[in-house]
Amino acid sequence: MIDLIHDLEGYQAEYQRSVEDPEGFWAGVATGFHWQKPWDRVLNWNFEEPSVRWFEGGLTNLCYNAVDRHALRDGDRVALIWEPNSPNDAPRQWTYRELQEAVARTAGMLQAMGVQAGDRVCLYMPMIPELLWSVLACARLGAVHSVVFGGFSARSLADRVADAGAAVVVCSEKIRRGPRDLPCRAVVEEALDLLEAEQDHPVRKVLVQGSLDPSKPLRSFSNIQSWDWDRLWDQTTARPQPRWMDAEDPLFILYTSGSTGKPKGVLHSTGGYMVYTAYSFAQVFRTAPGDVFWCTADIGWITGHSYLAYGPLLQGATVVMFEGIPTYPDPSRFWKICERHRVSHFYTAPTAIRALMVHGDAPVQSADLSSLRVLGSVGEPINEEAWQWYHRVVGGERCPVTDTWWQTETGGILIGALAGVSPLKPTYAGRPLPGVQPVLLDPQGRELEPTDPPSEQEGLLAMRFPWPSILRSTWGDHERCRTTYFSPFPGYYFTGDGARRDADGMFRIIGRVDDVINVSGHRLGTAEIENALNRHPRVVESAVVGYDHPIKGQGIYAYVILRSGLQDLDADSENQLIHELSETVVREIGAIARPDRIQLVEGLPKTRSGKIMRRFLRKIASGDTSQMGDTTTLLDPSILDAIWAGRKG
Ligand code: PRX
């Protein structure tokens, strides 16, 4: 198992070792897992192609290491506690032995549907145990899962399914979310309609969980077979053994937004992801047997992949999975769940903390939170006020708050405090984990050397050495992986974030320096939202920017030019149109991308060459026109006054 670092000197020594002898260091960590065949070579890499290969030639299986290994050794330990959406429904739990049975049976179902190693399986499901089983069942068979968050629209789902070439889609009848049920199967049907109308699509089989009418689980489509989860579950007698996979075989694809319109399928591979998620989970959260770890993220995001599913299970932890939302039936729900399951480690996003903070301390105090020992934050910068409230009110000033910085592409936490070991500095994520070598670059790609005496520096955050769970590619388009992450600054992995490093070497993440915005911890590309708006027949052009939002971190501000201009538009028709535009974005992407503000404009601030100057739009969106800066490069600077005059907010 993984040897935990005990104190700061221990951290420094381990960090040093990881830099001086990365191969020896990671080989040492990797020996804590079961390998059916040991690797021939620990690391083989270059950032030019890029090509990164960890544990080459090794054979292993992630499901075996996360589930079977514990089932064999300590099968009665609780692996999973599931808390349903409604507090009136009873929670359920599974020991590692029971989890093994459920996962192997799910693998048997997928196998019966023809799923084989290397096939892509798209999972579009709510936060129910069947989703976790399906993820692990894919890993068991060597199939590549592509989980699509249940909040994405039919259009987004269709695009992801087509891009991944997924022949099998697993979905549920519905998604229970707070007081409402949202459709799930119906969204899949709509996605299939879109796919059938447009192209030669890959989908051949759909498995529907929780069907209301098992005799007719899915509308009929040509060339698509539909299967019913419950019926297949009852019929399945096979319990496939884990298939030994090469360390570099693909494990999963997860789509994420970038600066261009089309989301990318970030590809992670088996061995390195296994080693790094387990290592980072162990060192950052430091759970012991009997502890209860709750990560509130949906499995549809990387946080759910790495720290609800794989990392904690690899370490044999007990995880909580919650189907619902923090405010249902009231804002004490999270805390009541902590009390009910004696949660010791709680990991959530600043947006949730800020949303709950609005309700004051009483909901928190209504629950017994004495079991809590470690608090974590992820997904976006945490502001000082939220950090302090989390620490004081939720953590009773006794729980360290670890602010963890990482990305879909990094697979695991790269910068963050080791709870109870590292010093804490609110709003600073802290120091890199062992094996992680961050640098700050200037815009020309030169490393900012630490000064003497040390002082705070700010630059672009990049990594100069691979860690085991670095992305391997973007699915179906390796060149895109190179141009997005590796060619901006040759020799480095570029994160897209700006950061500050203080005199003690602690990092504070400032935020994205590209056209990616972070709304309630959800990553969205402004171009993606613009493309959605532009699909409305009355739109000629649009420009989307983020602005500071007290709860969501960033809000979405859209400027839209209409084909017909703004004359003859009365207030009612303007409101109606804004509503339609908003609905268009929801239909194209999903509710997470709904613009907070939409302003109809006559024109956009453009340079003579036609480039939209977004920095002016960001300033107007944030209500700040102080120091607009040099506007002389604009074709028509007066447009700024007109936009300012019609500003929303
Ligand atoms: O800007 C950073 C922000 O979220 C981006 C990555 O988003 P995603 O791939 O969706 O993964 C989120 C969960 C790991 C980063 O480029 N981000 C993530 N964690 C933090 C953060 N910003 C500040 N502080 C963090 N702790």
Side-chain angles (χ1 to χ4, degrees), residues 256 302-303 377-381 403-409 495 497 509 511-512 518 521 523:
T256 191
I302 191 67
T303 308
S377 173
V378 59
E380 44 174 332
D403 175 11
T404 60
W405 174 85
W406 56 297
Q407 309 177 296
T408 305
E409 295 86 343
T495 64
D497 279 322
I509 310 303
R512 304 289 306 194
N518 198 323
R523 178 169 156 184

PDB file of all heavy atoms in Angstrom, residues 256 302-303 377-381 403-409 495 497 509 511-512 518 521 523, ligand 1:
ATOM      1  N   THR A 256     -14.469  17.407 -22.439  1.00  0.00           N
ATOM      2  CA  THR A 256     -14.361  18.658 -21.694  1.00  0.00           C
ATOM      3  C   THR A 256     -14.227  19.810 -22.670  1.00  0.00           C
ATOM      4  O   THR A 256     -13.839  19.614 -23.822  1.00  0.00           O
ATOM      5  CB  THR A 256     -13.185  18.615 -20.697  1.00  0.00           C
ATOM      6  OG1 THR A 256     -13.287  19.748 -19.835  1.00  0.00           O
ATOM      7  CG2 THR A 256     -11.845  18.645 -21.385  1.00  0.00           C
ATOM      8  N   ILE A 302     -14.764  14.793 -14.031  1.00  0.00           N
ATOM      9  CA  ILE A 302     -13.522  14.106 -13.676  1.00  0.00           C
ATOM     10  C   ILE A 302     -13.408  13.903 -12.155  1.00  0.00           C
ATOM     11  O   ILE A 302     -12.885  12.883 -11.701  1.00  0.00           O
ATOM     12  CB  ILE A 302     -12.274  14.853 -14.230  1.00  0.00           C
ATOM     13  CG1 ILE A 302     -11.007  14.006 -14.095  1.00  0.00           C
ATOM     14  CG2 ILE A 302     -12.074  16.184 -13.540  1.00  0.00           C
ATOM     15  CD1 ILE A 302     -10.936  12.781 -14.936  1.00  0.00           C
ATOM     16  N   THR A 303     -13.922  14.838 -11.373  1.00  0.00           N
ATOM     17  CA  THR A 303     -13.802  14.686  -9.919  1.00  0.00           C
ATOM     18  C   THR A 303     -14.513  13.419  -9.458  1.00  0.00           C
ATOM     19  O   THR A 303     -14.015  12.684  -8.601  1.00  0.00           O
ATOM     20  CB  THR A 303     -14.372  15.922  -9.193  1.00  0.00           C
ATOM     21  OG1 THR A 303     -13.761  17.079  -9.751  1.00  0.00           O
ATOM     22  CG2 THR A 303     -14.084  15.876  -7.706  1.00  0.00           C
ATOM     23  N   SER A 377     -11.782  21.082  -1.250  1.00  0.00           N
ATOM     24  CA  SER A 377     -12.425  21.981  -2.207  1.00  0.00           C
ATOM     25  C   SER A 377     -11.814  21.730  -3.576  1.00  0.00           C
ATOM     26  O   SER A 377     -10.621  21.451  -3.688  1.00  0.00           O
ATOM     27  CB  SER A 377     -12.179  23.426  -1.765  1.00  0.00           C
ATOM     28  OG  SER A 377     -12.640  24.336  -2.746  1.00  0.00           O
ATOM     29  N   VAL A 378     -12.624  21.841  -4.617  1.00  0.00           N
ATOM     30  CA  VAL A 378     -12.139  21.522  -5.968  1.00  0.00           C
ATOM     31  C   VAL A 378     -12.950  22.224  -7.047  1.00  0.00           C
ATOM     32  O   VAL A 378     -14.135  22.470  -6.872  1.00  0.00           O
ATOM     33  CB  VAL A 378     -12.200  19.990  -6.236  1.00  0.00           C
ATOM     34  CG1 VAL A 378     -13.611  19.451  -6.090  1.00  0.00           C
ATOM     35  CG2 VAL A 378     -11.641  19.637  -7.620  1.00  0.00           C
ATOM     36  N   GLY A 379     -12.299  22.522  -8.129  1.00  0.00           N
ATOM     37  CA  GLY A 379     -13.027  22.892  -9.344  1.00  0.00           C
ATOM     38  C   GLY A 379     -12.935  24.341  -9.757  1.00  0.00           C
ATOM     39  O   GLY A 379     -13.153  24.667 -10.918  1.00  0.00           O
ATOM     40  N   GLU A 380     -12.653  25.218  -8.817  1.00  0.00           N
ATOM     41  CA  GLU A 380     -12.587  26.642  -9.127  1.00  0.00           C
ATOM     42  C   GLU A 380     -11.900  27.316  -7.944  1.00  0.00           C
ATOM     43  O   GLU A 380     -11.787  26.724  -6.870  1.00  0.00           O
ATOM     44  CB  GLU A 380     -13.999  27.206  -9.315  1.00  0.00           C
ATOM     45  CG  GLU A 380     -14.913  26.688  -8.251  1.00  0.00           C
ATOM     46  CD  GLU A 380     -16.314  27.276  -8.248  1.00  0.00           C
ATOM     47  OE1 GLU A 380     -16.500  28.412  -8.680  1.00  0.00           O
ATOM     48  OE2 GLU A 380     -17.192  26.576  -7.759  1.00  0.00           O
ATOM     49  N   PRO A 381     -11.449  28.556  -8.144  1.00  0.00           N
ATOM     50  CA  PRO A 381     -10.804  29.242  -7.025  1.00  0.00           C
ATOM     51  C   PRO A 381     -11.790  29.397  -5.868  1.00  0.00           C
ATOM     52  O   PRO A 381     -12.966  29.680  -6.087  1.00  0.00           O
ATOM     53  CB  PRO A 381     -10.442  30.608  -7.610  1.00  0.00           C
ATOM     54  CG  PRO A 381     -10.434  30.419  -9.097  1.00  0.00           C
ATOM     55  CD  PRO A 381     -11.463  29.356  -9.375  1.00  0.00           C
ATOM     56  N   ASP A 403      -7.468  22.749  -0.516  1.00  0.00           N
ATOM     57  CA  ASP A 403      -7.942  23.288  -1.784  1.00  0.00           C
ATOM     58  C   ASP A 403      -7.128  22.595  -2.868  1.00  0.00           C
ATOM     59  O   ASP A 403      -5.917  22.761  -2.934  1.00  0.00           O
ATOM     60  CB  ASP A 403      -7.711  24.803  -1.781  1.00  0.00           C
ATOM     61  CG  ASP A 403      -8.061  25.450  -3.108  1.00  0.00           C
ATOM     62  OD1 ASP A 403      -8.668  24.789  -3.964  1.00  0.00           O
ATOM     63  OD2 ASP A 403      -7.715  26.637  -3.287  1.00  0.00           O
ATOM     64  N   THR A 404      -7.796  21.803  -3.679  1.00  0.00           N
ATOM     65  CA  THR A 404      -7.064  20.947  -4.621  1.00  0.00           C
ATOM     66  C   THR A 404      -7.203  21.458  -6.041  1.00  0.00           C
ATOM     67  O   THR A 404      -8.300  21.593  -6.553  1.00  0.00           O
ATOM     68  CB  THR A 404      -7.622  19.508  -4.553  1.00  0.00           C
ATOM     69  OG1 THR A 404      -9.006  19.542  -4.913  1.00  0.00           O
ATOM     70  CG2 THR A 404      -7.481  18.922  -3.166  1.00  0.00           C
ATOM     71  N   TRP A 405      -6.082  21.713  -6.672  1.00  0.00           N
ATOM     72  CA  TRP A 405      -6.111  22.175  -8.064  1.00  0.00           C
ATOM     73  C   TRP A 405      -5.750  21.039  -9.007  1.00  0.00           C
ATOM     74  O   TRP A 405      -4.744  20.357  -8.810  1.00  0.00           O
ATOM     75  CB  TRP A 405      -5.132  23.336  -8.304  1.00  0.00           C
ATOM     76  CG  TRP A 405      -5.097  23.666  -9.765  1.00  0.00           C
ATOM     77  CD1 TRP A 405      -5.949  24.489 -10.433  1.00  0.00           C
ATOM     78  CD2 TRP A 405      -4.208  23.118 -10.746  1.00  0.00           C
ATOM     79  NE1 TRP A 405      -5.644  24.480 -11.781  1.00  0.00           N
ATOM     80  CE2 TRP A 405      -4.577  23.647 -11.997  1.00  0.00           C
ATOM     81  CE3 TRP A 405      -3.141  22.221 -10.689  1.00  0.00           C
ATOM     82  CZ2 TRP A 405      -3.923  23.323 -13.178  1.00  0.00           C
ATOM     83  CZ3 TRP A 405      -2.487  21.889 -11.870  1.00  0.00           C
ATOM     84  CH2 TRP A 405      -2.875  22.447 -13.101  1.00  0.00           C
ATOM     85  N   TRP A 406      -6.577  20.864 -10.004  1.00  0.00           N
ATOM     86  CA  TRP A 406      -6.271  19.896 -11.061  1.00  0.00           C
ATOM     87  C   TRP A 406      -7.262  20.082 -12.192  1.00  0.00           C
ATOM     88  O   TRP A 406      -8.037  21.038 -12.183  1.00  0.00           O
ATOM     89  CB  TRP A 406      -6.235  18.467 -10.529  1.00  0.00           C
ATOM     90  CG  TRP A 406      -7.474  17.973  -9.810  1.00  0.00           C
ATOM     91  CD1 TRP A 406      -7.999  18.483  -8.649  1.00  0.00           C
ATOM     92  CD2 TRP A 406      -8.312  16.890 -10.191  1.00  0.00           C
ATOM     93  NE1 TRP A 406      -9.113  17.766  -8.296  1.00  0.00           N
ATOM     94  CE2 TRP A 406      -9.328  16.785  -9.221  1.00  0.00           C
ATOM     95  CE3 TRP A 406      -8.294  15.982 -11.247  1.00  0.00           C
ATOM     96  CZ2 TRP A 406     -10.333  15.818  -9.280  1.00  0.00           C
ATOM     97  CZ3 TRP A 406      -9.286  15.013 -11.313  1.00  0.00           C
ATOM     98  CH2 TRP A 406     -10.297  14.941 -10.331  1.00  0.00           C
ATOM     99  N   GLN A 407      -7.252  19.180 -13.169  1.00  0.00           N
ATOM    100  CA  GLN A 407      -8.062  19.340 -14.378  1.00  0.00           C
ATOM    101  C   GLN A 407      -8.473  17.970 -14.922  1.00  0.00           C
ATOM    102  O   GLN A 407      -7.840  16.960 -14.587  1.00  0.00           O
ATOM    103  CB  GLN A 407      -7.227  20.022 -15.478  1.00  0.00           C
ATOM    104  CG  GLN A 407      -6.535  21.283 -15.047  1.00  0.00           C
ATOM    105  CD  GLN A 407      -5.671  21.852 -16.157  1.00  0.00           C
ATOM    106  OE1 GLN A 407      -4.706  21.223 -16.568  1.00  0.00           O
ATOM    107  NE2 GLN A 407      -6.017  23.027 -16.639  1.00  0.00           N
ATOM    108  N   THR A 408      -9.460  17.980 -15.796  1.00  0.00           N
ATOM    109  CA  THR A 408      -9.841  16.739 -16.475  1.00  0.00           C
ATOM    110  C   THR A 408      -8.599  16.088 -17.088  1.00  0.00           C
ATOM    111  O   THR A 408      -8.410  14.874 -17.016  1.00  0.00           O
ATOM    112  CB  THR A 408     -10.858  17.052 -17.600  1.00  0.00           C
ATOM    113  OG1 THR A 408     -11.956  17.767 -17.020  1.00  0.00           O
ATOM    114  CG2 THR A 408     -11.371  15.794 -18.259  1.00  0.00           C
ATOM    115  N   GLU A 409      -7.753  16.921 -17.656  1.00  0.00           N
ATOM    116  CA  GLU A 409      -6.576  16.421 -18.362  1.00  0.00           C
ATOM    117  C   GLU A 409      -5.512  15.858 -17.425  1.00  0.00           C
ATOM    118  O   GLU A 409      -4.685  15.057 -17.843  1.00  0.00           O
ATOM    119  CB  GLU A 409      -5.931  17.557 -19.168  1.00  0.00           C
ATOM    120  CG  GLU A 409      -6.785  18.102 -20.302  1.00  0.00           C
ATOM    121  CD  GLU A 409      -7.761  19.193 -19.857  1.00  0.00           C
ATOM    122  OE1 GLU A 409      -8.026  19.323 -18.638  1.00  0.00           O
ATOM    123  OE2 GLU A 409      -8.262  19.911 -20.737  1.00  0.00           O
ATOM    124  N   THR A 495      -1.376  24.357 -18.922  1.00  0.00           N
ATOM    125  CA  THR A 495      -2.639  24.090 -18.232  1.00  0.00           C
ATOM    126  C   THR A 495      -3.782  24.982 -18.693  1.00  0.00           C
ATOM    127  O   THR A 495      -4.944  24.656 -18.457  1.00  0.00           O
ATOM    128  CB  THR A 495      -2.485  24.338 -16.720  1.00  0.00           C
ATOM    129  OG1 THR A 495      -2.202  25.739 -16.530  1.00  0.00           O
ATOM    130  CG2 THR A 495      -1.357  23.506 -16.119  1.00  0.00           C
ATOM    131  N   ASP A 497      -4.188  27.806 -17.252  1.00  0.00           N
ATOM    132  CA  ASP A 497      -4.444  28.632 -16.061  1.00  0.00           C
ATOM    133  C   ASP A 497      -3.296  29.603 -15.810  1.00  0.00           C
ATOM    134  O   ASP A 497      -2.137  29.291 -16.093  1.00  0.00           O
ATOM    135  CB  ASP A 497      -4.570  27.740 -14.810  1.00  0.00           C
ATOM    136  CG  ASP A 497      -5.950  27.122 -14.676  1.00  0.00           C
ATOM    137  OD1 ASP A 497      -6.944  27.803 -14.987  1.00  0.00           O
ATOM    138  OD2 ASP A 497      -6.037  25.950 -14.258  1.00  0.00           O
ATOM    139  N   ILE A 509      -4.128  29.700  -7.689  1.00  0.00           N
ATOM    140  CA  ILE A 509      -4.612  29.642  -9.067  1.00  0.00           C
ATOM    141  C   ILE A 509      -5.500  30.852  -9.309  1.00  0.00           C
ATOM    142  O   ILE A 509      -6.456  31.089  -8.564  1.00  0.00           O
ATOM    143  CB  ILE A 509      -5.415  28.347  -9.324  1.00  0.00           C
ATOM    144  CG1 ILE A 509      -4.638  27.111  -8.839  1.00  0.00           C
ATOM    145  CG2 ILE A 509      -5.819  28.234 -10.795  1.00  0.00           C
ATOM    146  CD1 ILE A 509      -3.266  26.925  -9.426  1.00  0.00           C
ATOM    147  N   GLY A 511      -6.965  31.617 -12.461  1.00  0.00           N
ATOM    148  CA  GLY A 511      -8.086  31.257 -13.336  1.00  0.00           C
ATOM    149  C   GLY A 511      -7.594  31.102 -14.753  1.00  0.00           C
ATOM    150  O   GLY A 511      -6.404  31.226 -15.043  1.00  0.00           O
ATOM    151  N   ARG A 512      -8.526  30.819 -15.637  1.00  0.00           N
ATOM    152  CA  ARG A 512      -8.177  30.514 -17.013  1.00  0.00           C
ATOM    153  C   ARG A 512      -7.657  31.754 -17.739  1.00  0.00           C
ATOM    154  O   ARG A 512      -8.164  32.854 -17.542  1.00  0.00           O
ATOM    155  CB  ARG A 512      -9.400  29.984 -17.759  1.00  0.00           C
ATOM    156  CG  ARG A 512     -10.059  28.774 -17.142  1.00  0.00           C
ATOM    157  CD  ARG A 512      -9.290  27.520 -17.257  1.00  0.00           C
ATOM    158  NE  ARG A 512      -8.908  27.199 -18.608  1.00  0.00           N
ATOM    159  CZ  ARG A 512      -8.454  25.989 -18.983  1.00  0.00           C
ATOM    160  NH1 ARG A 512      -8.357  24.994 -18.091  1.00  0.00           N
ATOM    161  NH2 ARG A 512      -8.098  25.780 -20.225  1.00  0.00           N
ATOM    162  N   ASN A 518     -15.588  29.138 -16.017  1.00  0.00           N
ATOM    163  CA  ASN A 518     -15.871  28.141 -15.004  1.00  0.00           C
ATOM    164  C   ASN A 518     -17.127  28.584 -14.256  1.00  0.00           C
ATOM    165  O   ASN A 518     -17.088  29.474 -13.426  1.00  0.00           O
ATOM    166  CB  ASN A 518     -14.655  28.079 -14.077  1.00  0.00           C
ATOM    167  CG  ASN A 518     -14.646  26.816 -13.265  1.00  0.00           C
ATOM    168  OD1 ASN A 518     -15.700  26.344 -12.832  1.00  0.00           O
ATOM    169  ND2 ASN A 518     -13.476  26.272 -13.030  1.00  0.00           N
ATOM    170  N   GLY A 521     -18.335  25.725 -11.118  1.00  0.00           N
ATOM    171  CA  GLY A 521     -17.397  24.606 -11.174  1.00  0.00           C
ATOM    172  C   GLY A 521     -17.516  23.791 -12.454  1.00  0.00           C
ATOM    173  O   GLY A 521     -16.811  22.810 -12.619  1.00  0.00           O
ATOM    174  N   ARG A 523     -16.974  23.507 -16.441  1.00  0.00           N
ATOM    175  CA  ARG A 523     -16.091  24.148 -17.402  1.00  0.00           C
ATOM    176  C   ARG A 523     -16.792  24.275 -18.744  1.00  0.00           C
ATOM    177  O   ARG A 523     -17.279  23.291 -19.285  1.00  0.00           O
ATOM    178  CB  ARG A 523     -14.868  23.247 -17.493  1.00  0.00           C
ATOM    179  CG  ARG A 523     -13.851  23.672 -18.439  1.00  0.00           C
ATOM    180  CD  ARG A 523     -12.655  22.804 -18.148  1.00  0.00           C
ATOM    181  NE  ARG A 523     -11.824  22.732 -19.309  1.00  0.00           N
ATOM    182  CZ  ARG A 523     -10.735  21.969 -19.376  1.00  0.00           C
ATOM    183  NH1 ARG A 523     -10.380  21.207 -18.356  1.00  0.00           N
ATOM    184  NH2 ARG A 523     -10.011  21.967 -20.450  1.00  0.00           N
TER     185      ARG A 523
HETATM  186  O1  PRX B   1      -9.213  26.747 -14.020  1.00  0.00           O
HETATM  187  C1  PRX B   1      -8.943  25.601 -13.262  1.00  0.00           C
HETATM  188  C2  PRX B   1     -10.172  25.242 -12.446  1.00  0.00           C
HETATM  189  O2  PRX B   1     -10.874  24.275 -13.199  1.00  0.00           O
HETATM  190  C3  PRX B   1     -10.169  23.981 -14.420  1.00  0.00           C
HETATM  191  C4  PRX B   1     -10.308  22.522 -14.751  1.00  0.00           C
HETATM  192  O3  PRX B   1     -11.652  22.205 -14.933  1.00  0.00           O
HETATM  193  P1  PRX B   1     -12.101  20.693 -15.108  1.00  0.00           P
HETATM  194  O4  PRX B   1     -11.262  20.067 -16.142  1.00  0.00           O
HETATM  195  O5  PRX B   1     -13.557  20.700 -15.307  1.00  0.00           O
HETATM  196  O6  PRX B   1     -11.731  20.009 -13.751  1.00  0.00           O
HETATM  197  C5  PRX B   1     -12.322  20.493 -12.571  1.00  0.00           C
HETATM  198  C6  PRX B   1     -12.096  19.527 -11.431  1.00  0.00           C
HETATM  199  C7  PRX B   1     -10.717  19.050 -11.256  1.00  0.00           C
HETATM  200  C8  PRX B   1      -8.751  24.396 -14.136  1.00  0.00           C
HETATM  201  O7  PRX B   1      -8.042  24.664 -15.334  1.00  0.00           O
HETATM  202  N1  PRX B   1      -9.826  24.676 -11.135  1.00  0.00           N
HETATM  203  C9  PRX B   1      -9.897  23.398 -10.750  1.00  0.00           C
HETATM  204  N2  PRX B   1      -9.566  23.272  -9.453  1.00  0.00           N
HETATM  205  C10 PRX B   1      -9.259  24.516  -9.008  1.00  0.00           C
HETATM  206  C11 PRX B   1      -9.420  25.408 -10.080  1.00  0.00           C
HETATM  207  N3  PRX B   1      -9.172  26.718  -9.950  1.00  0.00           N
HETATM  208  C12 PRX B   1      -8.762  27.171  -8.756  1.00  0.00           C
HETATM  209  N4  PRX B   1      -8.599  26.377  -7.682  1.00  0.00           N
HETATM  210  C13 PRX B   1      -8.831  25.059  -7.749  1.00  0.00           C
HETATM  211  N5  PRX B   1      -8.690  24.295  -6.688  1.00  0.00           N
END
